[in-house]
Amino acid sequence: MKQKITLKHIARELEVSISTVSKALKNSEEISRDTKEKIQAFAKLYNYKPNNIAISLKNKRTKNIGVIIPDIVHHFFTTVFRGIEKFANTKGYNVIVCVSDESFDKEVINMEILANGSVDGFIMSLSSETQLKNDYNHLKELIEQGIPLVLFDRVTDAVECDKVLINDKDGAYRAVKKLLENGRKKIALVATEDYLSVSKNRSDGYFQALKEQNIKIDKNLILRLPSMNSVEGNEMEEFFKNEKIDAVLCVNEIYAIHGMRIAQRLGYKIPEDIEFIGFTDGILSKFSNPTLTSVAQHGEKMGEIAAEMLIEKIEIENDVETYRTEVLEPTIMERESTIN
Amino acid sequence: MKQKITLKHIARELEVSISTVSKALKNSEEISRDTKEKIQAFAKLYNYKPNNIAISLKNKRTKNIGVIIPDIVHHFFTTVFRGIEKFANTKGYNVIVCVSDESFDKEVINMEILANGSVDGFIMSLSSETQLKNDYNHLKELIEQGIPLVLFDRVTDAVECDKVLINDKDGAYRAVKKLLENGRKKIALVATEDYLSVSKNRSDGYFQALKEQNIKIDKNLILRLPSMNSVEGNEMEEFFKNEKIDAVLCVNEIYAIHGMRIAQRLGYKIPEDIEFIGFTDGILSKFSNPTLTSVAQHGEKMGEIAAEMLIEKIEIENDVETYRTEVLEPTIMERESTIN
């Protein structure tokens, strides 16, 4: 039996990256003519079809939804998943998940696996590497083939499709405003690198709130950590030791909880000496000591809306493509880490 | 195009449960003759094939592994998943996850979806409802069809297959022994219902440690909560108020963190007045205040071993079926919630 050939096979065979294969098949200017010809010839020889799908899909509903998330350990993504499941199940759909592990290649491979007739459509949040590479050919291909796609949380303007996201900028803006109203002067920001769309938007909200009060941005009060799971190092401890800080906005709850522990060790009283606000509003925020004031991202609601959007697209076969973007307003959940 | 018929279709059409259909097709004594005849006739009419698979599978490797976990929000399962991914990826396999949400029906449906030619084998942990029903026909069918299966953590003696689990009893035993050695007299147990295999084993370890010291089991010191996600009620608060307790073993970290918060509110000093040990050793244990002494279940290691076992079975086509059970020894991670 002849195996179906995928992007991964072509990449492995010709010793180039998946991204290169994808671009070459799209005739991208970025790839040299020589490489393009080689890849295109190989694809033709083995009768490569993007995602191996399309025709079969239109005729046969699987009643399955494919979900691709960047990380399974992150509480936010699992709550979104729960919302997707909840809505999908009431409509008789099952949900299959793949995890990209923040890797572009894995995102593409996962998509190929599931698009291979296993699901009727996709709900996904972009991997950090995909956002860094800024390469969305695999998504564009999907859409060209008429497979419905809904992006959530980590989205991109480069792809036209349904989207659901939280107003991250406004969430951060309101959090910082609250800290300013409490009389805080030295408000720090603990964030990840800016290529992550949500981290950038949260930083922008922080800047806006300070600028409105004519407070100059102090670069020394901004700490950028490489990845969400790397709170093991002592960058944060050094940061807290060197800077006189009276409030902190963290772009996720792990940074915030970790920061509170360090502040407590250094003798700070929370919230009297230093206030903390985090994002995510997951299980850690509720059970930490003190409990953490958090910008709630309404993950479950986001999942429900994403599933509703997707199933609508799957079931209403409308050839006029209209896409919508739903923006949820975050809520600040006040707890013990701030003066309320 | 004629749709493939599944257990779910038959159940819905004949208005019986999936479990009934499964048992009827196995000619089980538990189902009335009338119902069995009806179901068998229907299945024959629509040419039902268990899992719609078997033949195609043997010829075509998908290089995909199907994982079915009871809950995606539970930190332990996500760490096992990470271990599975880690090992599978090094061997060129991709991982697809479905979540049973602790439901028997969803477990069966998930299995049918993935067994439909999408994966080469399964790694799974039983849903609580499956353990309660004690119905494993869907697993037995899978194995009869020659599809490799590895069970982890929540396993059953009723199915012969590869298994990997933690020595839960020994973990609990050693935790309670540690509390006894610290001079504790009134050691409480906060557990779930006993039909969950792991909760039962942990309770057994608790009993054994007390019996060895000739301490009579005091039923008033044992609190059983209905499900892991239901710490919202005030059963635990009542429990702590009514009983004089100087140490607590909790079968998961959520119970433990929740218990510590309540104890602190009631004026107890941890660990001086009351010590806490939990299971799971997830993110909550590391970031709580005080940090939680925990029985580490080595989820990632468990996942790696499960993936290794499964891939071995997939790749070595050996008709002599031998199964092995790997039992991991838990480690007690000492933190601030106990006197060390």
Side-chain angles (χ1 to χ4, degrees):
Chain A
M1 185 183 201
K2 203 166 157 188
Q3 225 190 341
K4 283 177 188 164
I5 193 159
T6 64
L7 289 184
K8 192 180 168 189
H9 291 125
I10 302 176
R12 198 164 41 197
E13 204 59 44
L14 301 182
E15 293 179 342
V16 293
S17 75
I18 287 178
S19 175
T20 301
V21 177
S22 166
K23 283 178 183 160
L25 293 175
K26 289 291 232 184
N27 228 350
S28 160
E29 298 287 320
E30 293 172 53
I31 312 296
S32 76
R33 219 182 83 188
D34 195 48
T35 307
K36 271 196 286 200
E37 281 178 1
K38 206 166 64 180
I39 292 172
Q40 289 171 358
F42 189 90
K44 202 172 167 189
L45 182 67
Y46 285 95
N47 197 23
Y48 167 75
K49 284 192 191 61
N51 292 324
N52 296 313
I53 39 142
I55 312 143
S56 70
L57 249 186
K58 283 275 168 189
N59 304 327
K60 194 185 110 212
R61 290 266 174 76
T62 61
K63 283 267 187 180
N64 297 331
I65 289 174
V67 174
I68 302 177
I69 52 177
D71 182 0
I72 202 173
V73 180
H74 190 334
H75 192 265
F76 169 69
F77 292 118
T78 60
T79 57
V80 175
F81 173 81
R82 202 146 61 171
I84 294 171
E85 274 251 317
K86 207 165 136 183
F87 188 88
N89 288 171
T90 64
K91 298 286 174 185
Y93 283 76
N94 304 297
V95 184
I96 298 175
V97 197
C98 284
V99 179
S100 67
D101 267 338
E102 304 287 12
S103 142
F104 172 82
D105 281 7
K106 284 194 71 177
E107 185 175 296
V108 174
I109 291 167
N110 286 334
M111 182 165 271
E112 280 201 306
I113 290 169
L114 296 182
N116 194 353
S118 300
V119 300
D120 297 337
F122 284 90
I123 296 174
M124 60 184 286
S125 192
L126 298 167
S127 82
S128 57
E129 202 189 354
T130 305
Q131 293 202 305
L132 182 61
K133 273 179 182 283
N134 211 11
D135 179 349
Y136 304 107
N137 282 319
H138 53 305
L139 303 183
K140 289 174 188 161
E141 216 144 66
L142 200 75
I143 291 162
E144 278 168 25
Q145 289 159 22
I147 302 177
L149 166 70
V150 177
L151 288 179
F152 74 89
D153 193 51
R154 297 199 201 154
V155 304
T156 172
D157 290 333
V159 178
E160 271 196 285
C161 66
D162 287 323
K163 290 162 199 172
V164 48
L165 60 152
I166 196 94
N167 191 337
D168 279 298
K169 186 178 172 184
D170 190 52
Y173 169 79
R174 279 160 49 203
V176 174
K177 227 179 136 178
K178 176 183 168 63
L179 296 170
L180 289 167
E181 281 162 10
N182 284 353
R184 300 294 166 172
K185 305 281 178 212
K186 296 281 235 174
I187 303 173
L189 172 70
V190 181
T192 56
E193 300 294 341
D194 246 5
Y195 62 82
L196 266 178
S197 55
V198 301
S199 189
K200 180 176 184 313
N201 293 337
R202 289 169 197 173
S203 300
D204 287 348
Y206 166 86
F207 296 142
Q208 192 196 328
L210 294 181
K211 273 179 196 154
E212 268 188 19
Q213 299 297 314
N214 294 315
I215 297 170
K216 225 181 129 236
I217 306 300
D218 180 352
K219 278 194 179 158
N220 292 324
L221 292 179
I222 299 172
L223 175 66
R224 294 206 182 268
L225 298 174
S227 111
M228 217 192 70
N229 300 316
S230 72
V231 289
E232 307 296 328
N234 56 2
E235 294 118 311
M236 219 191 268
E237 185 147 5
E238 292 303 314
F239 181 67
F240 278 91
K241 269 188 193 153
N242 294 335
E243 294 301 325
K244 198 110 195 76
I245 295 165
D246 59 15
V248 189
L249 174 68
C250 297
V251 297
N252 60 55
E253 66 177 355
I254 294 189
Y255 288 174
I257 304 292
H258 191 63
M260 291 204 298
R261 296 281 302 174
I262 290 170
Q264 284 169 329
R265 259 205 315 263
L266 295 174
Y268 285 96
K269 275 211 180 90
I270 306 170
E272 295 81 356
D273 306 335
I274 187 167
E275 295 183 65
F276 276 86
I277 301 183
F279 267 79
T280 310
D281 194 39
I283 207 158
L284 280 171
S285 302
K286 292 182 192 90
F287 287 114
S288 63
N289 188 6
T291 54
L292 178 70
T293 295
S294 258
V295 182
Q297 296 164 270
H298 305 300
E300 194 160 328
K301 184 82 197 148
M302 202 183 267
E304 284 175 36
I305 293 173
E308 192 183 349
M309 282 173 152
L310 185 73
I311 290 171
E312 197 183 298
K313 274 284 190 307
I314 292 169
E315 297 192 344
I316 302 168
E317 291 191 13
N318 193 339
D319 277 342
V320 186
E321 292 296 358
T322 54
Y323 299 116
R324 61 195 173 105
T325 294
E326 188 115 8
V327 182
L328 302 182
E329 273 309 312
T331 312
I332 295 182
M333 303 296 294
E334 296 189 341
R335 298 204 185 83
E336 297 162 0
S337 68
T338 51
I339 295 161
N340 302 310
Chain B
M1 187 181 203
K2 202 164 155 188
Q3 224 188 342
K4 282 176 188 167
I5 194 160
T6 63
L7 288 184
K8 192 181 167 188
H9 292 125
I10 302 176
R12 198 164 43 196
E13 204 59 44
L14 301 181
E15 293 178 343
V16 294
S17 75
I18 288 178
S19 176
T20 302
V21 176
S22 167
K23 283 177 181 158
L25 293 174
K26 288 292 236 184
N27 228 350
S28 160
E29 297 287 320
E30 293 173 51
I31 311 295
S32 76
R33 216 182 85 188
D34 195 48
T35 307
K36 272 196 289 200
E37 281 178 1
K38 206 165 65 179
I39 291 171
Q40 289 171 358
F42 188 91
K44 200 172 170 193
L45 182 65
Y46 284 94
N47 196 24
Y48 168 77
K49 284 193 189 62
N51 291 327
N52 295 313
I53 39 143
I55 311 143
S56 70
L57 249 186
K58 282 276 171 190
N59 304 329
K60 192 185 111 210
R61 291 266 176 75
T62 62
K63 283 269 187 176
N64 297 331
I65 289 174
V67 174
I68 301 177
I69 53 176
D71 182 0
I72 200 173
V73 180
H74 191 334
H75 192 265
F76 169 68
F77 292 119
T78 59
T79 55
V80 176
F81 173 80
R82 203 147 57 170
I84 294 171
E85 274 250 317
K86 207 164 134 183
F87 188 86
N89 287 172
T90 63
K91 297 287 175 184
Y93 283 76
N94 304 296
V95 183
I96 298 176
V97 196
C98 284
V99 180
S100 68
D101 267 337
E102 303 287 10
S103 143
F104 172 81
D105 281 7
K106 285 194 69 176
E107 185 174 298
V108 175
I109 291 168
N110 286 335
M111 183 167 269
E112 279 201 306
I113 291 171
L114 296 183
N116 193 354
S118 301
V119 300
D120 297 337
F122 283 91
I123 295 173
M124 60 185 286
S125 191
L126 298 167
S127 83
S128 57
E129 203 189 354
T130 305
Q131 293 202 306
L132 181 62
K133 272 177 182 285
N134 212 11
D135 179 350
Y136 305 107
N137 281 321
H138 54 305
L139 302 184
K140 289 174 187 160
E141 216 144 67
L142 200 74
I143 291 163
E144 279 169 23
Q145 289 160 22
I147 302 178
L149 167 70
V150 177
L151 287 178
F152 74 88
D153 193 51
R154 298 199 201 152
V155 305
T156 173
D157 289 336
V159 179
E160 272 194 284
C161 65
D162 287 323
K163 291 163 199 171
V164 49
L165 60 153
I166 195 95
N167 191 337
D168 280 299
K169 186 177 171 182
D170 190 52
Y173 169 80
R174 279 161 48 203
V176 174
K177 226 179 138 181
K178 174 183 170 63
L179 296 170
L180 289 167
E181 282 163 8
N182 286 352
R184 302 294 165 172
K185 304 281 179 215
K186 298 281 233 174
I187 302 173
L189 172 69
V190 181
T192 57
E193 300 295 341
D194 246 6
Y195 61 81
L196 266 179
S197 55
V198 300
S199 190
K200 182 177 182 315
N201 293 337
R202 290 170 197 173
S203 301
D204 287 349
Y206 166 85
F207 297 141
Q208 191 196 329
L210 294 181
K211 273 179 197 153
E212 269 188 18
Q213 299 297 315
N214 295 315
I215 298 170
K216 226 182 126 237
I217 305 300
D218 180 351
K219 277 196 179 159
N220 293 324
L221 291 180
I222 298 172
L223 174 67
R224 293 207 183 267
L225 298 174
S227 109
M228 216 193 72
N229 300 315
S230 73
V231 288
E232 307 296 329
N234 55 2
E235 295 117 311
M236 220 192 267
E237 187 148 3
E238 291 304 313
F239 181 68
F240 278 92
K241 270 186 193 153
N242 294 336
E243 294 301 326
K244 201 106 198 80
I245 296 164
D246 59 14
V248 188
L249 175 68
C250 297
V251 298
N252 59 55
E253 64 176 355
I254 293 190
Y255 288 175
I257 303 291
H258 191 63
M260 291 205 298
R261 295 281 302 174
I262 291 170
Q264 284 168 328
R265 259 203 316 262
L266 295 174
Y268 284 97
K269 274 212 180 92
I270 306 169
E272 295 81 358
D273 306 334
I274 187 166
E275 293 183 66
F276 277 85
I277 300 182
F279 267 79
T280 309
D281 194 40
I283 206 159
L284 280 171
S285 303
K286 292 183 193 91
F287 287 114
S288 63
N289 186 7
T291 53
L292 178 70
T293 294
S294 259
V295 182
Q297 296 164 269
H298 305 301
E300 194 161 328
K301 185 83 199 148
M302 200 183 266
E304 283 174 38
I305 293 172
E308 191 183 350
M309 282 172 151
L310 186 72
I311 291 171
E312 196 183 298
K313 275 283 190 309
I314 291 170
E315 298 192 344
I316 302 167
E317 291 190 14
N318 192 340
D319 278 343
V320 187
E321 291 296 356
T322 54
Y323 299 116
R324 62 195 173 105
T325 294
E326 188 112 9
V327 182
L328 302 182
E329 273 309 312
T331 311
I332 296 182
M333 302 296 293
E334 297 189 341
R335 297 205 184 83
E336 298 162 359
S337 67
T338 51
I339 294 161
N340 302 310

